[in-house]
Amino acid sequence: MTLKRPLIAWNRRKIVYDATVLSLAALFAFGHYAFAAMTGLETGRPAILRALGATAFALATIAILIGPAARLAPKLFLPVLYNRRHLGVIAFLIMGGHVGLALTDPAAAPLIEDFAAARLAGAIESGSAFAAPFRLYGLAAFLIFALMAATSHDFWLSRLSPRRWKALHMAVYAAFALCLLHIVAGALQTGKGARVLLGTAGAAGAVAAVIHLAAASRKTPRRARRKRMKDWLDAGPADRLAAGAALIVRLPGDRDAAIFRTPEGLFALSNACSHQMGPLGEGCVRAGVVTCPWHGYEFDLRTGRAPAPYTDRVPVYAVREEGGRLLVKSTPD
Ligand code: HEM
Ligand code: FES
């Protein structure tokens, strides 16, 4: 009998995760509102609008940072990465509250006025991205987040294929940049709390850039060099791969293989999990089986197959040690 993978369903861990995120978000929004009220900045509707915007932005920033952070310190951050899609959807729902309040504000000009040709031409003429109506940046970001939230379910993952789904969800970086423009341009154009806002947006952008660069420098796989023997590639000195560890190697065609050294010998699998392309090389290996660090799919190191009754598998590469070097085959078995 074969079984299709069940969709990652609701479970106790997910409920605790969502409840924690919602409680922390409520605390943050309340703190934001209380600060604005106590310092005499504003109260009521405008303060709620800002508190919701700031909370949604904080959650979106965490959702973006959690991937690279988990690569740098897996023990600490993998539990947060586990349900990142829910984090993104919660951020989107809070964003919806912010956008709803902004668009129904009787004191604000209708959004359509931001599209006026004269305003846009003036912004282009000024040559500054911060001169364009800040609400339009927010609108563009919101539409991207809406598309991602709508396709976040595993149903769309299997309809679109993991590769296309992942490419679509890379748009989160464009949405994040648009949010930063929305916040900075908004602060400059309205002059309200400009210093705090500019500081926050600058800090979030800088932290995101630094963590991504640090994680990328760790992750960048070694590019295997071509050896004389056809199809076998040199993955570097064998002593680089300690017992119980994995080494990620870039193969021709921009594929990554993960080479594992276990008590049973050397094994190499595609580094991309068949579920959502999670990094198998960062997974835990027990009894010849690697567990994907993202959602726990398992694969036999010898065959690349998931344990029965599941039928999915990842490509397996031949690997061997010769003259103190690791050699991996460039095409899967
Ligand atoms: C149609 C879409 C949107 C509209 C019309 C809109 C409107 C506004 C308005 C009117 C403000 C107050 C600006 C000021 O007085 O300085 C604001 C601030 C803000 N918005 Fe939006 N927004 C939109 C989308 C978004 C999105 C997608 C995010 C992402 C999280 C976002 C995050 C923020 C943040 C963080 C602030 C500053 C809050 C603070 O003062 O701490 N907005 N937005
Ligand atoms: S990416 Fe979800 S289990 Fe591997």
Side-chain angles (χ1 to χ4, degrees):
M1 185 185 74
T2 61
L3 254 195
K4 280 197 89 173
R5 286 277 189 189
L7 299 181
I8 305 281
W10 279 99
N11 54 37
R12 206 184 108 76
R13 210 172 146 199
K14 282 194 174 187
I15 293 169
V16 170
Y17 184 103
D18 287 6
T20 310
V21 172
L22 284 170
S23 312
L24 291 177
L27 210 65
F28 183 91
F30 180 75
H32 197 281
Y33 183 95
F35 178 79
M38 275 161 33
T39 52
L41 274 174
E42 58 195 357
T43 53
R45 191 185 172 112
I48 298 175
L49 176 131
R50 282 166 176 276
L52 291 180
T55 308
F57 180 66
L59 289 181
T61 307
I62 295 173
I64 283 188
L65 290 184
I66 202 63
R71 237 174 271 141
L72 289 172
K75 278 211 178 93
L76 200 60
F77 294 114
L78 271 180
V80 189
L81 185 67
Y82 168 72
N83 211 11
R84 172 164 59 170
R85 274 190 275 172
H86 281 207
L87 187 64
V89 173
I90 291 172
F92 171 70
L93 293 177
I94 298 174
M95 242 173 248
H98 169 78
V99 173
L101 277 181
L103 294 183
T104 54
D105 184 355
L111 186 65
I112 192 80
E113 287 186 12
D114 286 2
F115 287 97
R119 278 204 74 177
L120 297 177
I124 293 170
E125 218 164 272
S126 77
S128 163
F130 299 130
F134 74 96
R135 292 190 301 181
L136 294 188
Y137 289 128
L139 178 66
F142 186 66
L143 292 177
I144 296 178
F145 279 120
L147 182 68
M148 287 175 21
T151 57
S152 70
H153 197 267
D154 264 0
F155 167 79
W156 284 104
L157 181 69
S158 55
R159 279 308 280 269
L160 293 170
S161 85
R163 193 170 289 278
R164 276 197 222 121
W165 188 87
K166 193 164 182 176
L168 175 70
H169 282 243
M170 283 292 145
V172 73
Y173 292 100
F176 186 72
L178 286 164
C179 278
L180 286 176
L181 277 170
H182 171 67
I183 297 168
V184 177
L188 293 173
Q189 287 167 27
T190 65
K192 285 190 205 158
R195 255 189 300 166
V196 178
L197 278 186
L198 288 174
T200 315
V207 171
V210 167
I211 296 207
H212 271 79
L213 286 176
S217 71
R218 277 235 182 153
K219 189 201 170 196
T220 304
R222 297 174 47 78
R223 190 169 284 278
R225 279 184 290 137
R226 242 166 229 296
K227 282 267 301 180
R228 261 173 298 132
M229 289 154 292
K230 208 169 154 256
D231 280 350
W232 286 90
L233 303 173
D234 183 348
D239 57 12
R240 274 179 54 97
L241 180 57
L247 182 73
I248 315 298
V249 192
R250 172 68 40 95
L251 302 176
D254 270 352
R255 292 161 300 136
D256 288 343
I259 305 178
F260 300 86
R261 191 189 287 286
T262 75
E264 292 80 33
L266 285 170
F267 300 96
L269 296 183
S270 159
N271 191 40
C273 174
S274 64
H275 179 217
Q276 275 177 34
M277 303 175 85
L280 290 180
E282 290 167 31
C284 175
V285 176
R286 229 176 279 126
V289 171
V290 61
T291 304
C292 177
W294 284 12
H295 312 99
Y297 279 28
E298 294 173 327
F299 300 95
D300 187 307
L301 289 179
R302 283 176 205 280
T303 61
R305 289 185 191 283
Y310 303 118
T311 52
D312 43 333
R313 65 174 299 201
V314 291
V316 177
Y317 297 89
V319 59
R320 67 175 202 259
E321 203 173 321
E322 197 180 283
R325 313 287 300 178
L326 285 171
L327 302 180
V328 60
K329 219 156 182 201
S330 62
T331 46
D333 286 351

